[in-house]
Structures are given as structure tokens and as C-alpha cells.
Amino acid sequence: MKEITNKLNKRIYYIVVWIGIAIMISGLLIDNPRIGEFGFAYISHSILVFILSVCFLLYPKNRTAILRLTILIVASVYSYALFLFYPDTWSTFIFLCFIPALSILFFDSKLFYFSLLLNAILIMFIFGYILLIDRGLKYPYIEADPIGNFINFVASQIIIYFIFYLTNERMKKQQTYYEQIQHSERLKTTGQLAAAVAHEIRNPLTVVKGFLQLFEQDSSFTDERKGHFTLMIDELNTAEQVISQFLSIAKPDKENVTENVDVNVVLQSVTDLLHSYGLLHDNRIELNVTGDCTISANTIEFKQLLINIIKNAIEASNIGDLVHVTAGREKEFVVIQVIDYGRGMSEEEVASLGTPFYSLKSKGTGLGMMICFNIVDKFKGTIDFQSSIGHGTTVTIRFPSSNPV
Ligand code: ADP
Ligand code: MG
């Protein structure tokens, strides 16, 4: 597709350039007052037409900044030369106003500002020349109203600046949009590929783990060896965990149905499940649900979300600390808060949450928060973190209630 548009653009460019060249040549040949003289003016005019034509024709094959600068300088010299060589043709003044517009075509902002400056300097010289030396002899139409002409010139430059500014902004926006689309496309394909690979890796892992578990129980191995096996199994468990979390993100949406979920029931079962996990470091989970809390979500995914968040809270807590989990109604929203009094996070850490594989734990996967963000997003909820280092973290999750009163 890009190939076709490129070809089309090139063809249009050449058509425009050839029309431009034809107009420049007609200016040289048709009714030119200097045609018979073959003097300096006519020869310079011809040379400038030739150089400019060659530069324009070369440009598509050689899109360098130097060639763009050359085109701009030659075009400026050409326009000013026309103005000076043919004083009777007052309309050449219009070209002087239009010179900076050329760099808009090239989508080159540095060149644009340069041409604006160059044009301002050259026009000063022209006005100085007309007012002090020429004194209206060849350019009576400018000398008659120098201030009006000057204001018109400035106005034309401002208009061109606005056109440049607006087109530039739009083009930049389009470019970023295009890059974003490309980026997300790439992410999607890499995601699918990674999911396929992850799935393939899981099977051999299971086989290896099975054998290691057998060896671990085999009495012909020394205790030291068995220690090694345990270590290997541990590492394989971590790998398996990463893969299953990863696969749960890549799973197609079709399998998941949205239903009415009673937050109270799910929170009860999640806290029961994590109760023994908390007891490892003597952390207790305190649950407090008030009001009618039903939301539209998928029970399994909603559970996964809460497990990840509460597990993080337990892991961040100091030995013996409480983890508070509350849920309640706030107008048409159900608000769930998970509060811990543990290590807390800095602003940068909070900003990094949700980045795949971002983890500060030695055995962490760094996928938990990414999954949470996905789930919250999917059911039109929001998630906020309030955290201070050494004091703890409050995670606030909001979902639209399915029973708005
Ligand atoms: P993992 O738990 O596997 O490390 P997560 O995506 O669940 O991955 O979390 C990423 C990181 O965010 C954690 O490693 C931890 O540093 C930080 N984090 C998440 N929740 C909390 C919390 N409640 N308190 C302090 N740090 C947290
Ligand atoms: Mg986690």
C-alpha cells in the first residue's frame, strides 16, 4: 500500500515539477523584453532556470538536507533576480512573498525558519535600494506607498507562518498516530508469538519437573544432590508461574463471560484463600464490606485481580502487620480498597507499575500488576495507588455498580 502511494506521490511530484519548468521556460521565451539582448540579465535568468529545474528533478532520488537548502537558495535568488531584471512586471513581487512556502512542501521546519529569516533580510535590501537609490524610477508602484507595501509583505509572511505552523502540527500528529498504530501492531504480533512459544515451553518444563521430583525422592542420591534438585524444581516453578500468568493475558476474550458479581462473596473466598499465605509472616487480612456491592465482571478475572493486589500487599507487609480490605458503595460505584502498612513505593515505582516484568522481588514475575491493569480496564474500572515509603500503600479500585440506585 505504502509502495503504491509512494509511486503516486512521485508521479504527482514530477507532473507538478514539469509544469513548473514549462512555466519558467515560457517566462524566458514568451514576450520576454530581454530576449534579444542576450545580456547579463537574460543569461543569468536562463542559468537560474536550468539549475532550479535540475535540482527539482534530482530531489526525489536524493532527498538530502543539502539539496533542499540548495533548492531554497536558488529559488530565492531566482525570485529576487526576476524582480530586479524585470521591474515593469510588478507581479514578481508576489513571488518574493511566497519564497518561505517552498519549505512547507519539504516538511522541514529548520529550513522554513531559515528561509523566513533570509527573506526578511533580502526584502530589507530591496526596500532600501528602491527608496534610497532607485527612488521610484523603476519601481514607482512600491515607492508610491512603501509602508503599505511593507505591511503587506509582513502580513504575507505571517500568513505563511500560520499555514506552516498548522500543517506542521497536523503532520506531526499524524506521524505520531501512525507510529503508535505500528507500535501496537508490533506488540500484538509479538504478544501472540510469545504466547505460542510460552505454551510450547510449558510441556517440556512439566516433563523435566516430573523427573526431578522423582529423583528428589530417590534414596540413591546424596542429600546434597537432592538439595540441588529442590533448587531446580523451585526455579522451574517460577518459570511455570511466569508462563501461566503470561498465558492468562494472551487468552482470547471469547472465553470470558461478563456476569453479575457479588464483591462480598468473592472477597470472602479470596481472603480465605490467602489467609494461610498471610500466616507465613504472621500477617492477618481484615475484611470489611458494607452495602450492596455488585458489579458486572467475570468472576474468575475479578478474583485474579484481587488475589494479585492482596498478595502484593501481604508481600510488602512487615511481619505481624495487618492488611485491611474494604469494599463499599460510593454513589454509582463500588469501591474496593486494599491497605497495607508495609514498605511502600516511591513515585517512580508507582509510575512503573503495570510495566511487564517490572518487579523488585527476587522471586517476582512483574506480571501481576499488568494483568490487574488489563482486567480493570476491561470492565471499565479504575485503579489508583497512594503510597509512601516506609508507611504503606492503599490501592483503590472502582467499578461501576450493576445496581445503580
Ligand atoms: P511481582 O509481585 O511478581 O513482583 P507485580 O506486578 O505484582 O509483580 O508487582 C510489581 C512490583 O510492584 C512489585 O515487585 C513491588 O515492588 C511493587 N508493588 C506492588 N504492590 C505493592 C505494594 N502494595 N507495596 C509495595 N510495593 C508494591
Ligand atoms: Mg505480585
Side-chain angles (χ1 to χ4, degrees):
M1 183 66 196
K2 208 176 158 198
E3 192 68 359
I4 298 172
T5 37
N6 267 351
K7 267 188 191 160
L8 195 74
N9 281 346
K10 245 185 195 170
R11 190 173 294 173
I12 291 173
Y13 175 86
Y14 278 120
I15 292 174
V16 172
V17 164
W18 278 115
I19 292 174
I21 292 175
I23 292 173
M24 286 196 288
I25 292 176
S26 71
L28 261 180
L29 300 179
I30 301 172
D31 202 23
N32 188 316
R34 306 254 179 278
I35 196 163
E37 297 170 11
F38 275 109
F40 171 74
Y42 194 74
I43 293 173
S44 315
H45 183 177
S46 313
I47 293 174
L48 283 168
V49 168
F50 178 74
I51 299 176
L52 201 54
S53 309
V54 171
C55 286
F56 274 130
L57 290 173
L58 282 182
Y59 184 67
K61 290 193 188 74
N62 193 9
R63 293 165 183 255
T64 56
I66 298 210
L67 188 55
R68 282 198 289 269
L69 183 66
T70 316
I71 291 180
L72 184 93
I73 291 175
V74 178
S76 308
V77 174
Y78 173 68
S79 309
Y80 278 91
L82 287 187
F83 183 76
L84 293 173
F85 294 158
Y86 307 99
D88 299 336
T89 320
W90 66 267
S91 47
T92 42
F93 185 67
I94 297 173
F95 287 134
L96 306 189
C97 303
F98 269 117
I99 294 171
L102 195 63
S103 36
I104 299 181
L105 300 180
F106 292 136
F107 186 39
D108 184 335
S109 49
K110 269 192 215 144
L111 194 69
F112 176 77
Y113 291 117
F114 171 73
S115 70
L116 215 55
L117 186 73
L118 181 73
N119 213 22
I121 295 170
L122 291 177
I123 206 73
M124 294 289 185
F125 277 110
I126 291 290
F127 272 80
Y129 163 74
I130 293 172
L131 295 181
L132 301 176
I133 300 170
D134 179 63
R135 288 172 190 271
L137 204 68
K138 289 187 194 155
Y139 301 94
Y141 54 92
I142 288 186
E143 208 262 350
D145 182 14
I147 293 178
N149 277 311
F150 188 72
I151 290 176
N152 281 351
F153 177 81
V154 173
S156 72
Q157 302 303 284
I158 291 174
I159 291 170
I160 289 179
Y161 173 76
F162 273 125
I163 295 175
F164 164 78
Y165 179 78
L166 293 177
T167 33
N168 210 31
E169 286 291 293
R170 198 176 302 161
M171 279 172 99
K172 264 194 217 151
K173 255 188 219 156
Q174 263 179 353
Q175 206 164 349
T176 14
Y177 178 64
Y178 181 65
E179 275 163 15
Q180 269 172 357
I181 287 182
Q182 261 187 333
H183 184 69
S184 63
E185 275 297 307
R186 211 176 304 140
L187 267 187
K188 210 168 112 192
T189 20
T190 7
Q192 284 166 345
L193 197 72
V197 173
H199 189 73
E200 291 306 313
I201 291 174
R202 201 151 61 159
N203 298 337
L205 274 192
T206 321
V207 176
V208 174
K209 203 175 96 178
F211 274 107
L212 285 175
Q213 277 166 341
L214 272 183
F215 293 159
E216 206 186 16
Q217 266 133 42
D218 194 332
S219 52
S220 60
F221 287 106
T222 60
D223 277 352
E224 198 195 350
R225 270 288 133 81
K226 283 185 182 172
H228 291 164
F229 291 146
T230 317
L231 211 73
M232 286 154 103
I233 293 171
D234 262 3
E235 291 301 309
L236 285 181
N237 278 338
T238 315
E240 259 189 341
Q241 206 190 333
V242 173
I243 290 172
S244 2
Q245 291 205 350
F246 188 79
L247 283 175
S248 75
I249 313 168
K251 231 176 8 197
D253 293 326
K254 273 180 273 170
E255 290 172 19
N256 306 317
V257 283
T258 307
E259 58 214 332
N260 269 345
V261 180
D262 187 342
V263 173
N264 193 0
V265 174
V266 176
L267 275 178
Q268 276 296 347
S269 85
V270 169
T271 43
D272 284 348
L273 186 80
L274 289 174
H275 177 70
S276 46
Y277 185 71
L279 285 186
L280 285 178
H281 292 114
D282 205 14
N283 300 123
R284 271 189 314 112
I285 310 169
E286 213 174 76
L287 178 64
N288 188 0
V289 183
T290 49
D292 159 48
C293 298
T294 23
I295 60 168
S296 294
N298 175 267
T299 311
I300 295 171
E301 285 183 304
F302 184 58
K303 253 188 193 168
Q304 201 178 9
L305 164 73
L306 293 172
I307 289 174
N308 274 320
I309 305 261
I310 299 174
K311 214 162 139 258
N312 277 348
I314 293 172
E315 285 163 0
S317 294
N318 302 315
I319 294 174
D321 275 353
L322 265 186
V323 170
H324 280 288
V325 181
T326 65
R329 281 292 291 269
E330 242 177 51
K331 291 180 188 154
E332 65 269 40
F333 290 99
V334 172
V335 182
I336 303 155
Q337 284 196 315
V338 178
I339 306 160
D340 72 67
Y341 306 95
R343 54 175 290 274
M345 288 178 277
S346 66
E347 269 180 35
E348 289 81 30
E349 282 176 59
V350 172
S352 308
L353 290 175
T355 314
F357 305 113
Y358 167 76
S359 174
L360 297 181
K361 297 168 195 163
S362 56
K363 283 205 179 270
T365 62
L367 290 171
M369 289 319 295
M370 184 171 98
I371 294 173
C372 291
F373 280 35
N374 268 338
I375 297 172
V376 167
D377 214 39
K378 190 165 157 188
F379 300 111
K380 308 209 164 32
T382 57
I383 182 165
D384 288 306
F385 298 85
Q386 263 185 324
S387 193
S388 87
I389 294 254
H391 292 103
T393 306
T394 302
V395 185
T396 310
I397 310 163
R398 264 170 234 272
F399 280 109
S401 163
S402 51
N403 288 334
V405 194

